[in-house]
Amino acid sequence: MDSHATSFGVPNRKLAMWVFIASECMFFGSLIATYLSYEGKSLVGPTPHEILNIPLTSVSTFVLLMSSLAMVLALEAVQSGDRRMTRLWLGGVIVLGGLFLSGQVYEFREFYHEGLTLQQNLFGATFFVLTGFHGAHVTVGVIWMVTLLVMSLRGTLGPERSLDVEVAGLYWHFVDVVWIVIFTVVYLIQ
Amino acid sequence: MAEHSTHETAHAPAHASKGTYWLIALILGILTLLEVAVFYVPLLRAAIVPILLTLSTAKFALVAMFFMHLKFDKPILTTVFAGGIVVATVIILAMMLLFGVVGPGAHM
């Protein structure tokens, strides 16, 4: 069975990734809906405006946006057969993704010390589930990028395998757009 | 395997130039800066929700169109993605309506 060409003129794996992304929209939509439905209904603190660190999250948001730039440049490099730039940009995505995750770990730790836990109130429960699932997606993305970097270092990631990078890139950019929504809805609109 | 991979590459759509990607990144950075600025300006408090939603939508669209190549790719991919977004939006609005966050029973 030809697993690549489809009647839509799109490689099967790419189409499958887009269908997966569409299902992920619904998944994160449900988590955002739950967060918004319970917003302001916590009976005890800490509340969002008491605890959310906007400057730190703004920097994290910028870091994740720039990781998307690195990702698209990595795809460009692999398509043009530039192995050195492929490794450089994939490394960039890994470093920036790692920085974002570090910021999230720091934020979660701070919140925990300030008394916000999953069980503390409705804000804690919905906030940690939403941002935690997003963080888990970023972690999967970073692991995926590491495997691509290893492939590149072994010399097995040439232009003929550019679809591998494109599909991984779609996942990475999706994680980025989800954060764009979370940053606005959770952090800025309180 | 190699034959399949070459076949896949043949489907690679046209996309933007490196310069465009850097420009989009710059715009995304500026839009993020604007979002944070809006958050801290008390004068804009009354209109903060529509302003932030507009800026956020612009960022979302830029990433989807240029970094995810939807602007240059087959329309079926945009349709699939839009389908997911529409369902997600309906879920969010329905939940907010059911919980009285928006609509007749809203208490904001």
Side-chain angles (χ1 to χ4, degrees), chain A residues 82-143:
Chain A
D82 190 339
R83 288 175 191 267
R84 198 177 69 85
M85 292 311 283
T86 300
R87 290 166 193 167
L88 181 79
W89 290 120
L90 281 176
V93 178
I94 294 164
V95 169
L96 292 168
L99 266 175
F100 176 84
L101 287 172
S102 306
Q104 194 167 40
V105 168
Y106 173 81
E107 182 188 46
F108 279 18
R109 224 174 139 259
E110 287 295 301
F111 287 2
Y112 179 77
H113 287 303
E114 289 180 45
L116 188 72
T117 61
L118 258 175
Q119 299 88 4
Q120 175 67 15
N121 56 20
L122 282 170
F123 167 61
T126 53
F127 172 83
F128 281 122
V129 170
L130 173 58
T131 56
F133 264 112
H134 179 266
H137 278 71
V138 177
T139 307
V140 170
V142 170
I143 294 167

Side-chain angles (χ1 to χ4, degrees), chain A residues 4-5 9-10 13-14 18 22 25 29 37 54-55 58 65-66 68-69 75-76 79 160 163 173 177 184 188, chain B residues 4-5 7-8 11 15 21 25 32 35-36 39-40 56 63 67-69 73-74 77 80-81 88 92 95:
Chain A
H4 307 293
V10 180
R13 277 195 292 155
K14 189 167 158 180
W18 273 108
C25 283
S37 300
I54 302 301
S58 303
L65 285 171
M66 292 308 109
S68 261
L69 172 68
L75 175 62
E76 170 89 21
Q79 282 173 340
E160 73 285 354
L163 188 67
H173 297 309
V177 293
T184 304
L188 299 180
Chain B
H4 277 166
S5 301
H7 183 60
E8 288 174 350
H11 284 281
H15 50 78
Y21 292 141
T32 305
E35 281 182 321
V36 179
F39 177 81
Y40 284 112
S56 172
V63 174
F67 288 174
M68 296 172 97
H69 300 129
D73 232 320
K74 300 272 181 190
L77 302 178
V80 170
F81 190 36
I92 293 171
M95 285 277 283

Side-chain angles (χ1 to χ4, degrees), chain A residues 59-73 89 92-93 96-97 172-173 176, chain B residues 21-30 32 67:
Chain A
V59 173
S60 290
T61 303
F62 183 76
V63 164
L64 201 59
L65 285 171
M66 292 308 109
S67 76
S68 261
L69 172 68
M71 184 71 243
V72 82
L73 291 173
W89 290 120
V93 178
L96 292 168
W172 190 263
H173 297 309
D176 186 18
Chain B
Y21 292 141
W22 281 98
L23 180 67
I24 296 297
L26 179 70
I27 296 170
L28 288 170
I30 292 169
T32 305
F67 288 174

Side-chain angles (χ1 to χ4, degrees), chain B:
Chain B
M1 178 67 200
E3 193 181 328
H4 277 166
S5 301
T6 310
H7 183 60
E8 288 174 350
T9 316
H11 284 281
H15 50 78
S17 65
K18 278 185 207 170
T20 308
Y21 292 141
W22 281 98
L23 180 67
I24 296 297
L26 179 70
I27 296 170
L28 288 170
I30 292 169
L31 289 177
T32 305
L33 209 64
L34 278 175
E35 281 182 321
V36 179
V38 167
F39 177 81
Y40 284 112
V41 177
L43 241 118
L44 296 172
R45 274 282 147 207
I48 192 167
V49 174
I51 293 174
L52 287 177
L53 287 181
T54 307
L55 291 171
S56 172
T57 306
K59 285 166 69 181
F60 189 105
L62 283 173
V63 174
M65 283 166 61
F66 290 93
F67 288 174
M68 296 172 97
H69 300 129
L70 281 181
K71 186 174 160 59
F72 313 97
D73 232 320
K74 300 272 181 190
I76 181 71
L77 302 178
T78 307
T79 309
V80 170
F81 190 36
I85 294 169
V86 167
V87 175
T89 310
V90 170
I91 291 170
I92 293 171
L93 292 176
M95 285 277 283
M96 289 174 78
L97 196 67
L98 282 170
F99 279 74
V101 181
V102 293
H107 42 80
M108 289 182 81

Side-chain angles (χ1 to χ4, degrees), chain A residues 22-86:
Chain A
S23 74
E24 287 277 273
C25 283
M26 298 171 213
F27 174 73
F28 278 104
S30 303
L31 294 179
I32 291 168
T34 309
Y35 177 85
L36 290 174
S37 300
Y38 287 122
E39 195 181 20
K41 293 188 172 72
S42 293
L43 298 177
V44 292
T47 57
H49 72 269
E50 288 171 348
I51 204 164
L52 292 178
N53 186 339
I54 302 301
L56 171 76
T57 319
S58 303
V59 173
S60 290
T61 303
F62 183 76
V63 164
L64 201 59
L65 285 171
M66 292 308 109
S67 76
S68 261
L69 172 68
M71 184 71 243
V72 82
L73 291 173
L75 175 62
E76 170 89 21
V78 80
Q79 282 173 340
S80 56
D82 190 339
R83 288 175 191 267
R84 198 177 69 85
M85 292 311 283
T86 300

